[in-house]
Amino acid sequence: MEVLKTLKSFDITSLKDIAPKYIEFFKGLPYYFAFEEYLFVHAGFNDSDINPFDDKYSMIWLCKKTYENPLLMNKVIIHGHRPIKVDVCKEIVHSNKNVINLDTGCVYSDMSGFGTLTAIELNTRSLYLHELI
């Protein structure tokens, strides 16, 4: 189970034992980051909300393949949260879609098509793939 690996990396056995400095760090993180025409978010946005930047739940849990909200229309949205196979990620990036899922399931190295840590160079839309052992 991946949660156990995370706990082990903190040298603890329960979530309640995470040091307060880490909890404060996570609480202080923004829900999304905007840079030029790009929006970086963990999962996605609430497309039906007048202001999709107000719905924090959606930014953590909900992903979409396209968005129609006027505040999102001319943006490239980069997200993760829902693992996809490396070949699917490559197809999305090379087809110039405005919603790019970069989650290639690096924690699922035992599953075919997953187990890769993926990064993107935005100017060229070049993918950098690193298979984890």
PDB file of all heavy atoms in Angstrom, residues 10-38:
ATOM      1  N   PHE A  10       8.611   9.043   6.240  1.00  0.00           N
ATOM      2  CA  PHE A  10       8.631   9.999   7.345  1.00  0.00           C
ATOM      3  C   PHE A  10       9.111   9.344   8.640  1.00  0.00           C
ATOM      4  O   PHE A  10       9.157   9.977   9.682  1.00  0.00           O
ATOM      5  CB  PHE A  10       7.226  10.582   7.575  1.00  0.00           C
ATOM      6  CG  PHE A  10       6.846  11.682   6.632  1.00  0.00           C
ATOM      7  CD1 PHE A  10       6.168  11.406   5.456  1.00  0.00           C
ATOM      8  CD2 PHE A  10       7.152  12.997   6.919  1.00  0.00           C
ATOM      9  CE1 PHE A  10       5.804  12.422   4.586  1.00  0.00           C
ATOM     10  CE2 PHE A  10       6.793  14.027   6.061  1.00  0.00           C
ATOM     11  CZ  PHE A  10       6.122  13.726   4.894  1.00  0.00           C
ATOM     12  N   ASP A  11       9.408   8.039   8.573  1.00  0.00           N
ATOM     13  CA  ASP A  11       9.838   7.262   9.733  1.00  0.00           C
ATOM     14  C   ASP A  11       8.774   7.243  10.825  1.00  0.00           C
ATOM     15  O   ASP A  11       9.061   7.389  12.016  1.00  0.00           O
ATOM     16  CB  ASP A  11      11.168   7.781  10.277  1.00  0.00           C
ATOM     17  CG  ASP A  11      11.850   6.757  11.172  1.00  0.00           C
ATOM     18  OD1 ASP A  11      11.621   5.546  10.976  1.00  0.00           O
ATOM     19  OD2 ASP A  11      12.615   7.174  12.079  1.00  0.00           O
ATOM     20  N   ILE A  12       7.509   7.079  10.384  1.00  0.00           N
ATOM     21  CA  ILE A  12       6.377   6.994  11.310  1.00  0.00           C
ATOM     22  C   ILE A  12       5.481   5.839  10.881  1.00  0.00           C
ATOM     23  O   ILE A  12       5.637   5.293   9.793  1.00  0.00           O
ATOM     24  CB  ILE A  12       5.565   8.311  11.356  1.00  0.00           C
ATOM     25  CG1 ILE A  12       5.029   8.667   9.960  1.00  0.00           C
ATOM     26  CG2 ILE A  12       6.408   9.448  11.924  1.00  0.00           C
ATOM     27  CD1 ILE A  12       4.131   9.889   9.939  1.00  0.00           C
ATOM     28  N   THR A  13       4.521   5.486  11.735  1.00  0.00           N
ATOM     29  CA  THR A  13       3.600   4.390  11.412  1.00  0.00           C
ATOM     30  C   THR A  13       2.143   4.837  11.329  1.00  0.00           C
ATOM     31  O   THR A  13       1.280   4.063  10.960  1.00  0.00           O
ATOM     32  CB  THR A  13       3.712   3.265  12.465  1.00  0.00           C
ATOM     33  OG1 THR A  13       3.464   3.819  13.761  1.00  0.00           O
ATOM     34  CG2 THR A  13       5.091   2.629  12.420  1.00  0.00           C
ATOM     35  N   SER A  14       1.869   6.096  11.666  1.00  0.00           N
ATOM     36  CA  SER A  14       0.500   6.603  11.647  1.00  0.00           C
ATOM     37  C   SER A  14       0.490   8.054  11.161  1.00  0.00           C
ATOM     38  O   SER A  14       1.411   8.826  11.458  1.00  0.00           O
ATOM     39  CB  SER A  14      -0.096   6.529  13.059  1.00  0.00           C
ATOM     40  OG  SER A  14      -1.348   7.183  13.090  1.00  0.00           O
ATOM     41  N   LEU A  15      -0.561   8.421  10.449  1.00  0.00           N
ATOM     42  CA  LEU A  15      -0.693   9.802   9.976  1.00  0.00           C
ATOM     43  C   LEU A  15      -0.681  10.807  11.116  1.00  0.00           C
ATOM     44  O   LEU A  15      -0.190  11.922  10.966  1.00  0.00           O
ATOM     45  CB  LEU A  15      -1.971   9.963   9.160  1.00  0.00           C
ATOM     46  CG  LEU A  15      -1.977   9.348   7.770  1.00  0.00           C
ATOM     47  CD1 LEU A  15      -3.360   9.458   7.146  1.00  0.00           C
ATOM     48  CD2 LEU A  15      -0.943  10.005   6.881  1.00  0.00           C
ATOM     49  N   LYS A  16      -1.202  10.407  12.267  1.00  0.00           N
ATOM     50  CA  LYS A  16      -1.251  11.335  13.405  1.00  0.00           C
ATOM     51  C   LYS A  16       0.140  11.690  13.927  1.00  0.00           C
ATOM     52  O   LYS A  16       0.301  12.649  14.678  1.00  0.00           O
ATOM     53  CB  LYS A  16      -2.127  10.791  14.529  1.00  0.00           C
ATOM     54  CG  LYS A  16      -1.620   9.547  15.187  1.00  0.00           C
ATOM     55  CD  LYS A  16      -2.584   9.087  16.279  1.00  0.00           C
ATOM     56  CE  LYS A  16      -2.261   7.745  16.830  1.00  0.00           C
ATOM     57  NZ  LYS A  16      -1.094   7.531  17.550  1.00  0.00           N
ATOM     58  N   ASP A  17       1.147  10.943  13.491  1.00  0.00           N
ATOM     59  CA  ASP A  17       2.517  11.194  13.938  1.00  0.00           C
ATOM     60  C   ASP A  17       3.311  12.113  13.012  1.00  0.00           C
ATOM     61  O   ASP A  17       4.494  12.368  13.262  1.00  0.00           O
ATOM     62  CB  ASP A  17       3.260   9.854  14.086  1.00  0.00           C
ATOM     63  CG  ASP A  17       2.650   8.980  15.160  1.00  0.00           C
ATOM     64  OD1 ASP A  17       2.135   9.531  16.157  1.00  0.00           O
ATOM     65  OD2 ASP A  17       2.675   7.744  14.992  1.00  0.00           O
ATOM     66  N   ILE A  18       2.676  12.614  11.960  1.00  0.00           N
ATOM     67  CA  ILE A  18       3.381  13.544  11.072  1.00  0.00           C
ATOM     68  C   ILE A  18       3.677  14.823  11.843  1.00  0.00           C
ATOM     69  O   ILE A  18       2.800  15.379  12.513  1.00  0.00           O
ATOM     70  CB  ILE A  18       2.549  13.847   9.807  1.00  0.00           C
ATOM     71  CG1 ILE A  18       2.456  12.596   8.932  1.00  0.00           C
ATOM     72  CG2 ILE A  18       3.155  15.003   9.020  1.00  0.00           C
ATOM     73  CD1 ILE A  18       1.653  12.777   7.679  1.00  0.00           C
ATOM     74  N   ALA A  19       4.904  15.282  11.754  1.00  0.00           N
ATOM     75  CA  ALA A  19       5.324  16.489  12.476  1.00  0.00           C
ATOM     76  C   ALA A  19       4.495  17.691  12.043  1.00  0.00           C
ATOM     77  O   ALA A  19       4.186  17.851  10.854  1.00  0.00           O
ATOM     78  CB  ALA A  19       6.811  16.748  12.223  1.00  0.00           C
ATOM     79  N   PRO A  20       4.134  18.549  12.984  1.00  0.00           N
ATOM     80  CA  PRO A  20       3.328  19.740  12.669  1.00  0.00           C
ATOM     81  C   PRO A  20       3.922  20.613  11.565  1.00  0.00           C
ATOM     82  O   PRO A  20       3.187  21.218  10.802  1.00  0.00           O
ATOM     83  CB  PRO A  20       3.267  20.496  14.000  1.00  0.00           C
ATOM     84  CG  PRO A  20       3.457  19.434  15.034  1.00  0.00           C
ATOM     85  CD  PRO A  20       4.393  18.432  14.422  1.00  0.00           C
ATOM     86  N   LYS A  21       5.260  20.676  11.448  1.00  0.00           N
ATOM     87  CA  LYS A  21       5.854  21.518  10.409  1.00  0.00           C
ATOM     88  C   LYS A  21       5.445  21.054   9.017  1.00  0.00           C
ATOM     89  O   LYS A  21       5.290  21.852   8.106  1.00  0.00           O
ATOM     90  CB  LYS A  21       7.369  21.570  10.539  1.00  0.00           C
ATOM     91  CG  LYS A  21       8.090  20.271  10.222  1.00  0.00           C
ATOM     92  CD  LYS A  21       9.600  20.415  10.372  1.00  0.00           C
ATOM     93  CE  LYS A  21      10.310  19.130  10.032  1.00  0.00           C
ATOM     94  NZ  LYS A  21      11.766  19.254  10.166  1.00  0.00           N
ATOM     95  N   TYR A  22       5.234  19.735   8.827  1.00  0.00           N
ATOM     96  CA  TYR A  22       4.807  19.219   7.531  1.00  0.00           C
ATOM     97  C   TYR A  22       3.330  19.527   7.289  1.00  0.00           C
ATOM     98  O   TYR A  22       2.939  19.884   6.177  1.00  0.00           O
ATOM     99  CB  TYR A  22       5.057  17.719   7.420  1.00  0.00           C
ATOM    100  CG  TYR A  22       6.519  17.368   7.456  1.00  0.00           C
ATOM    101  CD1 TYR A  22       7.049  16.640   8.511  1.00  0.00           C
ATOM    102  CD2 TYR A  22       7.385  17.782   6.441  1.00  0.00           C
ATOM    103  CE1 TYR A  22       8.404  16.322   8.557  1.00  0.00           C
ATOM    104  CE2 TYR A  22       8.730  17.476   6.475  1.00  0.00           C
ATOM    105  CZ  TYR A  22       9.234  16.747   7.538  1.00  0.00           C
ATOM    106  OH  TYR A  22      10.567  16.450   7.577  1.00  0.00           O
ATOM    107  N   ILE A  23       2.538  19.410   8.316  1.00  0.00           N
ATOM    108  CA  ILE A  23       1.104  19.741   8.196  1.00  0.00           C
ATOM    109  C   ILE A  23       0.958  21.215   7.814  1.00  0.00           C
ATOM    110  O   ILE A  23       0.186  21.555   6.916  1.00  0.00           O
ATOM    111  CB  ILE A  23       0.345  19.436   9.511  1.00  0.00           C
ATOM    112  CG1 ILE A  23       0.468  17.949   9.876  1.00  0.00           C
ATOM    113  CG2 ILE A  23      -1.113  19.872   9.412  1.00  0.00           C
ATOM    114  CD1 ILE A  23      -0.112  16.985   8.871  1.00  0.00           C
ATOM    115  N   GLU A  24       1.696  22.084   8.477  1.00  0.00           N
ATOM    116  CA  GLU A  24       1.644  23.519   8.165  1.00  0.00           C
ATOM    117  C   GLU A  24       2.127  23.791   6.748  1.00  0.00           C
ATOM    118  O   GLU A  24       1.567  24.628   6.043  1.00  0.00           O
ATOM    119  CB  GLU A  24       2.447  24.325   9.183  1.00  0.00           C
ATOM    120  CG  GLU A  24       1.811  24.338  10.560  1.00  0.00           C
ATOM    121  CD  GLU A  24       0.353  24.779  10.547  1.00  0.00           C
ATOM    122  OE1 GLU A  24       0.041  25.831   9.949  1.00  0.00           O
ATOM    123  OE2 GLU A  24      -0.485  24.061  11.125  1.00  0.00           O
ATOM    124  N   PHE A  25       3.169  23.081   6.325  1.00  0.00           N
ATOM    125  CA  PHE A  25       3.657  23.231   4.958  1.00  0.00           C
ATOM    126  C   PHE A  25       2.559  22.890   3.958  1.00  0.00           C
ATOM    127  O   PHE A  25       2.284  23.652   3.030  1.00  0.00           O
ATOM    128  CB  PHE A  25       4.878  22.332   4.731  1.00  0.00           C
ATOM    129  CG  PHE A  25       5.283  22.230   3.286  1.00  0.00           C
ATOM    130  CD1 PHE A  25       5.966  23.267   2.662  1.00  0.00           C
ATOM    131  CD2 PHE A  25       4.978  21.101   2.541  1.00  0.00           C
ATOM    132  CE1 PHE A  25       6.331  23.182   1.325  1.00  0.00           C
ATOM    133  CE2 PHE A  25       5.339  21.007   1.205  1.00  0.00           C
ATOM    134  CZ  PHE A  25       6.019  22.048   0.602  1.00  0.00           C
ATOM    135  N   PHE A  26       1.900  21.739   4.147  1.00  0.00           N
ATOM    136  CA  PHE A  26       0.843  21.323   3.221  1.00  0.00           C
ATOM    137  C   PHE A  26      -0.332  22.279   3.256  1.00  0.00           C
ATOM    138  O   PHE A  26      -0.905  22.592   2.211  1.00  0.00           O
ATOM    139  CB  PHE A  26       0.376  19.898   3.532  1.00  0.00           C
ATOM    140  CG  PHE A  26       1.407  18.847   3.210  1.00  0.00           C
ATOM    141  CD1 PHE A  26       1.810  17.931   4.158  1.00  0.00           C
ATOM    142  CD2 PHE A  26       1.991  18.783   1.954  1.00  0.00           C
ATOM    143  CE1 PHE A  26       2.769  16.968   3.859  1.00  0.00           C
ATOM    144  CE2 PHE A  26       2.946  17.827   1.642  1.00  0.00           C
ATOM    145  CZ  PHE A  26       3.336  16.919   2.609  1.00  0.00           C
ATOM    146  N   LYS A  27      -0.695  22.775   4.426  1.00  0.00           N
ATOM    147  CA  LYS A  27      -1.802  23.727   4.540  1.00  0.00           C
ATOM    148  C   LYS A  27      -1.506  25.035   3.814  1.00  0.00           C
ATOM    149  O   LYS A  27      -2.404  25.710   3.350  1.00  0.00           O
ATOM    150  CB  LYS A  27      -2.109  24.018   6.011  1.00  0.00           C
ATOM    151  CG  LYS A  27      -2.853  22.924   6.715  1.00  0.00           C
ATOM    152  CD  LYS A  27      -3.145  23.335   8.152  1.00  0.00           C
ATOM    153  CE  LYS A  27      -3.930  22.286   8.887  1.00  0.00           C
ATOM    154  NZ  LYS A  27      -4.203  22.685  10.290  1.00  0.00           N
ATOM    155  N   GLY A  28      -0.233  25.399   3.730  1.00  0.00           N
ATOM    156  CA  GLY A  28       0.154  26.653   3.105  1.00  0.00           C
ATOM    157  C   GLY A  28       0.299  26.593   1.594  1.00  0.00           C
ATOM    158  O   GLY A  28       0.485  27.619   0.948  1.00  0.00           O
ATOM    159  N   LEU A  29       0.209  25.396   1.020  1.00  0.00           N
ATOM    160  CA  LEU A  29       0.369  25.274  -0.428  1.00  0.00           C
ATOM    161  C   LEU A  29      -0.846  25.824  -1.169  1.00  0.00           C
ATOM    162  O   LEU A  29      -1.981  25.664  -0.719  1.00  0.00           O
ATOM    163  CB  LEU A  29       0.559  23.804  -0.812  1.00  0.00           C
ATOM    164  CG  LEU A  29       1.865  23.157  -0.370  1.00  0.00           C
ATOM    165  CD1 LEU A  29       1.839  21.657  -0.688  1.00  0.00           C
ATOM    166  CD2 LEU A  29       3.048  23.814  -1.053  1.00  0.00           C
ATOM    167  N   PRO A  30      -0.639  26.460  -2.313  1.00  0.00           N
ATOM    168  CA  PRO A  30      -1.788  26.931  -3.109  1.00  0.00           C
ATOM    169  C   PRO A  30      -2.506  25.734  -3.744  1.00  0.00           C
ATOM    170  O   PRO A  30      -1.911  24.689  -3.970  1.00  0.00           O
ATOM    171  CB  PRO A  30      -1.134  27.805  -4.180  1.00  0.00           C
ATOM    172  CG  PRO A  30       0.260  27.295  -4.296  1.00  0.00           C
ATOM    173  CD  PRO A  30       0.646  26.777  -2.934  1.00  0.00           C
ATOM    174  N   TYR A  31      -3.779  25.919  -4.037  1.00  0.00           N
ATOM    175  CA  TYR A  31      -4.554  24.853  -4.671  1.00  0.00           C
ATOM    176  C   TYR A  31      -4.269  24.766  -6.166  1.00  0.00           C
ATOM    177  O   TYR A  31      -4.491  23.738  -6.782  1.00  0.00           O
ATOM    178  CB  TYR A  31      -6.046  25.061  -4.420  1.00  0.00           C
ATOM    179  CG  TYR A  31      -6.439  24.644  -3.020  1.00  0.00           C
ATOM    180  CD1 TYR A  31      -6.277  25.511  -1.944  1.00  0.00           C
ATOM    181  CD2 TYR A  31      -6.938  23.383  -2.769  1.00  0.00           C
ATOM    182  CE1 TYR A  31      -6.611  25.129  -0.658  1.00  0.00           C
ATOM    183  CE2 TYR A  31      -7.280  22.985  -1.488  1.00  0.00           C
ATOM    184  CZ  TYR A  31      -7.115  23.859  -0.440  1.00  0.00           C
ATOM    185  OH  TYR A  31      -7.427  23.469   0.820  1.00  0.00           O
ATOM    186  N   TYR A  32      -3.821  25.855  -6.739  1.00  0.00           N
ATOM    187  CA  TYR A  32      -3.427  25.864  -8.146  1.00  0.00           C
ATOM    188  C   TYR A  32      -2.358  26.934  -8.315  1.00  0.00           C
ATOM    189  O   TYR A  32      -2.170  27.796  -7.449  1.00  0.00           O
ATOM    190  CB  TYR A  32      -4.618  26.125  -9.074  1.00  0.00           C
ATOM    191  CG  TYR A  32      -5.108  27.543  -9.034  1.00  0.00           C
ATOM    192  CD1 TYR A  32      -4.672  28.480  -9.966  1.00  0.00           C
ATOM    193  CD2 TYR A  32      -6.005  27.972  -8.053  1.00  0.00           C
ATOM    194  CE1 TYR A  32      -5.104  29.799  -9.917  1.00  0.00           C
ATOM    195  CE2 TYR A  32      -6.438  29.283  -7.996  1.00  0.00           C
ATOM    196  CZ  TYR A  32      -5.985  30.181  -8.938  1.00  0.00           C
ATOM    197  OH  TYR A  32      -6.402  31.484  -8.886  1.00  0.00           O
ATOM    198  N   PHE A  33      -1.668  26.874  -9.444  1.00  0.00           N
ATOM    199  CA  PHE A  33      -0.646  27.868  -9.751  1.00  0.00           C
ATOM    200  C   PHE A  33      -0.860  28.310 -11.183  1.00  0.00           C
ATOM    201  O   PHE A  33      -0.996  27.483 -12.090  1.00  0.00           O
ATOM    202  CB  PHE A  33       0.758  27.265  -9.575  1.00  0.00           C
ATOM    203  CG  PHE A  33       1.864  28.224  -9.872  1.00  0.00           C
ATOM    204  CD1 PHE A  33       2.195  29.223  -8.970  1.00  0.00           C
ATOM    205  CD2 PHE A  33       2.564  28.145 -11.064  1.00  0.00           C
ATOM    206  CE1 PHE A  33       3.219  30.128  -9.242  1.00  0.00           C
ATOM    207  CE2 PHE A  33       3.585  29.034 -11.350  1.00  0.00           C
ATOM    208  CZ  PHE A  33       3.912  30.024 -10.434  1.00  0.00           C
ATOM    209  N   ALA A  34      -0.906  29.618 -11.395  1.00  0.00           N
ATOM    210  CA  ALA A  34      -1.084  30.179 -12.733  1.00  0.00           C
ATOM    211  C   ALA A  34       0.229  30.794 -13.194  1.00  0.00           C
ATOM    212  O   ALA A  34       0.896  31.510 -12.432  1.00  0.00           O
ATOM    213  CB  ALA A  34      -2.183  31.243 -12.712  1.00  0.00           C
ATOM    214  N   PHE A  35       0.594  30.494 -14.445  1.00  0.00           N
ATOM    215  CA  PHE A  35       1.784  31.078 -15.050  1.00  0.00           C
ATOM    216  C   PHE A  35       1.511  31.248 -16.540  1.00  0.00           C
ATOM    217  O   PHE A  35       1.291  30.262 -17.252  1.00  0.00           O
ATOM    218  CB  PHE A  35       3.003  30.171 -14.828  1.00  0.00           C
ATOM    219  CG  PHE A  35       4.253  30.674 -15.496  1.00  0.00           C
ATOM    220  CD1 PHE A  35       4.927  31.768 -14.975  1.00  0.00           C
ATOM    221  CD2 PHE A  35       4.733  30.073 -16.642  1.00  0.00           C
ATOM    222  CE1 PHE A  35       6.076  32.240 -15.584  1.00  0.00           C
ATOM    223  CE2 PHE A  35       5.880  30.542 -17.267  1.00  0.00           C
ATOM    224  CZ  PHE A  35       6.554  31.630 -16.738  1.00  0.00           C
ATOM    225  N   GLU A  36       1.509  32.509 -16.968  1.00  0.00           N
ATOM    226  CA  GLU A  36       1.197  32.840 -18.354  1.00  0.00           C
ATOM    227  C   GLU A  36      -0.107  32.151 -18.754  1.00  0.00           C
ATOM    228  O   GLU A  36      -1.112  32.342 -18.090  1.00  0.00           O
ATOM    229  CB  GLU A  36       2.377  32.506 -19.260  1.00  0.00           C
ATOM    230  CG  GLU A  36       3.610  33.336 -18.930  1.00  0.00           C
ATOM    231  CD  GLU A  36       4.833  32.978 -19.739  1.00  0.00           C
ATOM    232  OE1 GLU A  36       4.791  32.019 -20.541  1.00  0.00           O
ATOM    233  OE2 GLU A  36       5.853  33.681 -19.566  1.00  0.00           O
ATOM    234  N   GLU A  37      -0.099  31.344 -19.831  1.00  0.00           N
ATOM    235  CA  GLU A  37      -1.355  30.708 -20.258  1.00  0.00           C
ATOM    236  C   GLU A  37      -1.581  29.346 -19.606  1.00  0.00           C
ATOM    237  O   GLU A  37      -2.489  28.613 -19.972  1.00  0.00           O
ATOM    238  CB  GLU A  37      -1.411  30.557 -21.785  1.00  0.00           C
ATOM    239  CG  GLU A  37      -0.505  29.492 -22.349  1.00  0.00           C
ATOM    240  CD  GLU A  37       0.869  29.980 -22.770  1.00  0.00           C
ATOM    241  OE1 GLU A  37       1.336  31.034 -22.301  1.00  0.00           O
ATOM    242  OE2 GLU A  37       1.482  29.303 -23.589  1.00  0.00           O
ATOM    243  N   TYR A  38      -0.771  29.009 -18.594  1.00  0.00           N
ATOM    244  CA  TYR A  38      -0.842  27.694 -17.959  1.00  0.00           C
ATOM    245  C   TYR A  38      -1.477  27.765 -16.578  1.00  0.00           C
ATOM    246  O   TYR A  38      -1.272  28.714 -15.830  1.00  0.00           O
ATOM    247  CB  TYR A  38       0.556  27.092 -17.820  1.00  0.00           C
ATOM    248  CG  TYR A  38       1.247  26.910 -19.138  1.00  0.00           C
ATOM    249  CD1 TYR A  38       2.183  27.835 -19.588  1.00  0.00           C
ATOM    250  CD2 TYR A  38       0.955  25.815 -19.946  1.00  0.00           C
ATOM    251  CE1 TYR A  38       2.821  27.676 -20.809  1.00  0.00           C
ATOM    252  CE2 TYR A  38       1.579  25.651 -21.170  1.00  0.00           C
ATOM    253  CZ  TYR A  38       2.506  26.577 -21.593  1.00  0.00           C
ATOM    254  OH  TYR A  38       3.119  26.413 -22.800  1.00  0.00           O
TER     255      TYR A  38
END
